[in-house]
């Protein structure tokens, strides 16, 4: 038996007919093109006869376990005997309705990210999977469905092997926006794995204790970037502040769409703490680590996530979390920005 503590037990009928896992090589992320309730209904109706995944994450971060990880789940086709699968909600509710033809899956929200991180930390610890991004479908670690899809991430030479993760060529699961969030998720899971090894009652610190969810509307405006210079990004009309710091822990994510960033060029993002006082010069006096990402043909979707807890300002000044961007591209401009935060 391998059941994740804290997951809702939604085990499907006749698990044993699935056969046991042959090895534990990877955790693979998927998207449902549906809601948790809809997917649960479909899986429960078919039991383990149809396709199913080990875990499901809902819009509000609910975690369902459909298959004991001692047994296989079919979501990764020929790789199913080696891969733990996580399906995630993406449609209806706060995700709205979107055109499911093509690559339009919306970003994972902050509550989903926290739940995905918890599953990864548990699964990797329980089954000895390294918490790192898979560099290819033959690597071990954390990956996503499209890596093993023919005419997408799967090299032709691996068709018909255990690395073929789908019957359907060209499948984009979990979509470009969600794929852009995978590096941040892994970084959070690597942090989480360290706290999980502490003995006795773990304190509800960091992301595990956060419950207040803040997010800004999507800000659509073309923002030109300064080549080779860090520039603070507007997150709304005449607005640069994401959070006013008060010393509480927070997990903050910024999601940007970039146009004109070529595959040979890069963009970097970092959060900064700006000390602000009306009528006096704003001073940047704290820098979080930066993340660098390459461009892609067409729009590039980039997300950057940070856990932090900056102190309240002193002497009438307030400390404000902002985000800065750097690029080596002449043509890149940012067209949409959205920020989301979870606070303690
Ligand atoms: Zn999938």
């Amino acid at each position: 038996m391998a059941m994740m503590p804290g997951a809702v037990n939604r085990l499907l009928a006749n698990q044993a007919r699935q056969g046991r896992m042959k090895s534990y090589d990877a955790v693979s992320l998927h998207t449902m093109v549906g809601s948790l309730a809809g997917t649960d209904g479909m899986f429960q109706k078919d039991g383990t006869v149809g396709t199913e995944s080990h875990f499901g994450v809902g819009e509000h971060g609910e975690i369902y376990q459909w298959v004991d990880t001692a047994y296989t789940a079919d979501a990764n086709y020929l790789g199913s005997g080696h891969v733990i699968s996580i399906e995630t909600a993406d449609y209806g509710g706060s995700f709205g309705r979107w055109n499911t033809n093509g690559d339009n899956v919306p970003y994972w929200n902050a509550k989903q990210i926290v739940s995905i991180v918890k599953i990864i930390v548990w699964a990797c610890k329980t089954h000895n999977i390294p918490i790192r991004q898979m560099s290819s479908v033959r690597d071990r670690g954390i990956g996503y469905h499209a890596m093993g899809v023919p005419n997408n991430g799967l090299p032709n030479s691996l068709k018909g092997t255990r690395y073929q993760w789908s019957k359907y060529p060209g499948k984009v699961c979990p979509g470009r926006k969600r794929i852009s969030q995978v590096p941040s998720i892994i970084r959070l899971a690597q942090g989480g794995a360290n706290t999980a090894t502490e003995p006795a009652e773990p304190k509800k610190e960091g992301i595990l204790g956060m419950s207040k969810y803040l997010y800004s509307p999507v800000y659509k405006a073309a923002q030109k970037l300064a080549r080779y210079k860090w520039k603070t990004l507007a997150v709304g009309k005449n607005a640069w502040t994401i959070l006013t710091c008060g010393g509480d822990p927070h997990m903050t994510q910024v999601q940007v769409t970039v146009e004109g960033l070529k595959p040979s060029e890069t963009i970097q993002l970092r959060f900064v703490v700006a000390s602000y006082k009306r009528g006096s010069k704003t001073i940047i006096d704290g820098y979080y680590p930066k993340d660098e990402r390459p461009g892609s043909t067409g729009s590039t979707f980039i997300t950057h996530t940070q856990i932090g807890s900056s102190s309240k300002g002193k002497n009438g000044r307030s400390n404000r979390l902002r985000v800065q961007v750097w690029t080596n591209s002449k043509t890149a401009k940012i067209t949409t920005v959205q920020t989301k935060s979870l606070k303690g």
Side-chain angles (χ1 to χ4, degrees):
M1 281 285 282
M3 298 291 292
M4 178 182 159
V8 179
N9 179 330
R10 297 289 297 167
L11 290 186
L12 305 179
N14 307 319
Q15 306 250 312
R17 67 171 285 286
Q18 287 294 111
R20 295 210 157 244
M21 290 288 283
K22 294 187 183 77
S23 68
Y24 293 91
D25 292 349
V27 175
S28 168
L29 295 163
H30 294 261
T31 203
M32 289 171 181
V33 193
S35 66
L36 183 66
T39 303
D40 183 54
M42 197 173 77
F43 285 177
Q44 297 293 348
K45 182 166 68 73
D46 298 341
T48 48
V49 174
T51 298
E52 70 285 316
S53 63
H54 288 104
F55 292 97
V57 174
E59 176 196 349
H60 307 290
E62 312 92 312
I63 300 176
Y64 282 8
Q65 186 165 357
W66 285 306
V67 177
D68 184 319
T69 54
Y71 300 110
T72 67
D74 298 330
N76 285 68
Y77 190 47
L78 302 179
S80 296
H82 311 274
V83 178
I84 292 176
S85 44
I86 306 175
E87 273 289 0
T88 57
D90 58 12
Y91 196 83
S94 60
F95 296 119
R97 295 169 176 277
W98 40 273
N99 181 357
T100 58
N101 292 317
D103 196 344
N104 302 311
V105 183
Y107 288 106
W108 283 305
N109 66 40
K111 289 181 179 173
Q112 289 184 300
I113 289 174
V114 170
S115 296
I116 293 167
V117 168
K118 286 182 185 171
I119 299 171
I120 288 174
V121 169
W122 176 82
C124 289
K125 202 176 162 203
T126 306
H127 298 298
N128 251 320
I129 301 168
I131 302 183
R132 62 170 190 231
Q133 183 146 8
M134 296 167 74
S135 59
S136 83
V137 72
R138 300 178 67 170
D139 200 4
R140 296 184 73 225
I142 316 302
Y144 51 86
H145 200 178
M147 295 177 78
V149 172
N151 301 350
N152 199 342
L154 184 76
N156 273 336
S157 59
L158 296 178
K159 265 195 211 168
T161 70
R162 65 193 250 192
Y163 302 109
Q164 183 176 346
W165 284 358
S166 177
K167 250 192 245 184
Y168 306 104
K171 206 173 157 72
V172 298
C173 176
R176 279 191 299 171
K177 290 182 182 168
R178 292 188 170 195
I179 290 169
S180 80
Q181 293 176 292
V182 174
S184 299
I185 285 175
I186 292 168
R187 198 150 50 81
L188 293 172
Q190 287 165 341
N194 295 336
T195 57
T197 57
E198 281 170 17
E201 282 285 287
K203 272 191 261 164
K204 290 273 183 201
E205 274 178 353
I207 56 166
L208 302 179
M210 292 178 196
S211 56
K212 225 189 284 171
Y213 185 37
L214 315 164
Y215 63 94
S216 70
V218 177
Y219 177 53
K220 287 187 192 169
Q223 299 193 54
K224 281 204 187 139
L225 302 173
R227 202 174 179 211
Y228 303 129
K229 269 189 199 152
W230 286 97
K231 193 183 165 191
T232 302
L233 207 59
V235 296
K237 203 171 177 206
N238 298 320
W240 287 268
T241 295
I242 301 165
L243 277 180
T244 300
C245 308
D248 299 329
H250 65 84
M251 180 182 90
T252 301
Q253 182 163 72
V254 60
Q255 302 169 338
V256 300
T257 312
V258 191
E259 303 295 340
L261 184 70
K262 300 178 189 109
S264 57
E265 299 170 337
T266 63
I267 196 168
Q268 299 181 13
L269 280 94
R270 69 178 180 196
F271 288 98
V272 297
V273 178
S275 169
Y276 173 85
K277 189 182 178 183
R278 200 181 181 141
S280 87
K281 197 177 181 321
T282 298
I283 307 153
I284 308 285
D285 67 0
Y287 301 90
Y288 285 106
K290 63 190 185 193
D291 243 1
E292 182 167 39
R293 305 291 175 77
S296 51
T297 42
S299 306
T300 306
F301 299 101
I302 294 174
T303 68
H304 179 54
T305 308
Q306 186 64 53
I307 291 179
S309 56
S310 297
S311 60
K312 223 169 154 173
K314 282 181 198 151
N315 306 326
R317 301 185 73 88
S318 86
N319 282 339
R320 299 178 172 202
L321 189 72
R322 296 180 175 180
V323 66
Q324 291 190 328
V325 185
W326 178 102
T327 187
N328 55 10
S329 166
K330 265 189 201 167
T331 50
K333 59 175 192 267
I334 288 190
T335 53
T336 73
V337 180
Q338 188 175 25
T339 66
K340 296 170 181 182
S341 292
L342 264 180
K343 278 178 79 171

